């Protein structure tokens, strides 16, 4: 039996989906279905995912907030490539990118929700005390 709180589960899900998306982007553009045979410079699209990785792994709320906006770039790229790429493998990888992006976003939102509610309640209590 797992005694992990829902917040911890959402944090683990967010961390896992971010790492999986990072691995997917590298594998996709380097090995699985690169735009050019032998790999392409598109593998560099994985670099921006490294920026929030440390903060997400450390549960930094600020990093989680802004990374939830960064992830929409990968969602958008996935949608575009799912409908424009010509190979079945590349289209499947694009749908996987979309799924991982959505999973990351939803898990971050669900992780931060109780923290945001607590912060609002504290601010409201402070304002009432003044």
């Amino acid at each position: 039996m797992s005694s992990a709180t829902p917040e911890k589960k959402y944090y683990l899900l967010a961390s896992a989906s971010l790492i999986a998306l990072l691995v997917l982007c590298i594998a996709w553009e380097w090995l699985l279905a690169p735009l050019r045979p032998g790999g392409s410079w598109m593998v560099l699209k994985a670099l921006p995912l490294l920026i929030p990785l440390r903060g997400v792994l450390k549960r930094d709320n600020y990093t989680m907030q802004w990374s939830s906006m960064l992830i929409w770039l990968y969602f958008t790229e996935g949608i575009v490539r799912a409908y424009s790429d010509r190979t079945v493998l590349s289209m499947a990888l694009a749908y996987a990118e979309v799924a991982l992006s959505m999973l990351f976003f939803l898990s971050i939102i669900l992780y931060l929700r109780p923290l945001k509610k607590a912060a609002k309640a504290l601010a409201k209590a402070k304002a009432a005390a003044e």
Side-chain angles (χ1 to χ4, degrees), residues 22-38:
L22 180 63
V23 170
L24 173 76
C25 288
I26 293 169
W28 181 2
E29 300 300 345
W30 196 7
L31 305 169
L32 299 175
L35 291 175
R36 293 194 173 99

Side-chain angles (χ1 to χ4, degrees), residues 19-105:
I19 292 168
L21 184 59
L22 180 63
V23 170
L24 173 76
C25 288
I26 293 169
W28 181 2
E29 300 300 345
W30 196 7
L31 305 169
L32 299 175
L35 291 175
R36 293 194 173 99
S40 72
W41 285 101
M42 281 291 288
V43 75
L44 295 177
K45 75 180 183 184
L47 287 178
L49 292 173
L50 290 174
I51 298 168
L53 182 61
R54 183 174 182 213
V56 169
L57 293 176
K58 289 176 70 176
R59 296 185 190 194
D60 180 55
N61 294 340
Y62 181 72
T63 302
M64 289 183 171
Q65 288 174 359
W66 66 258
S67 66
S68 69
M69 295 295 107
L70 171 72
I71 208 69
W72 287 108
L73 295 172
Y74 293 88
F75 174 84
T76 303
E77 189 224 6
I79 292 292
V80 169
R81 291 194 62 184
Y83 287 99
S84 65
D85 281 5
R86 296 184 182 175
T87 65
V88 174
L89 177 59
S90 190
M91 290 169 55
L93 294 169
Y95 282 118
E97 182 178 35
V98 168
L100 288 170
S101 299
M102 289 177 60
L103 185 62
F104 177 79
F105 180 78

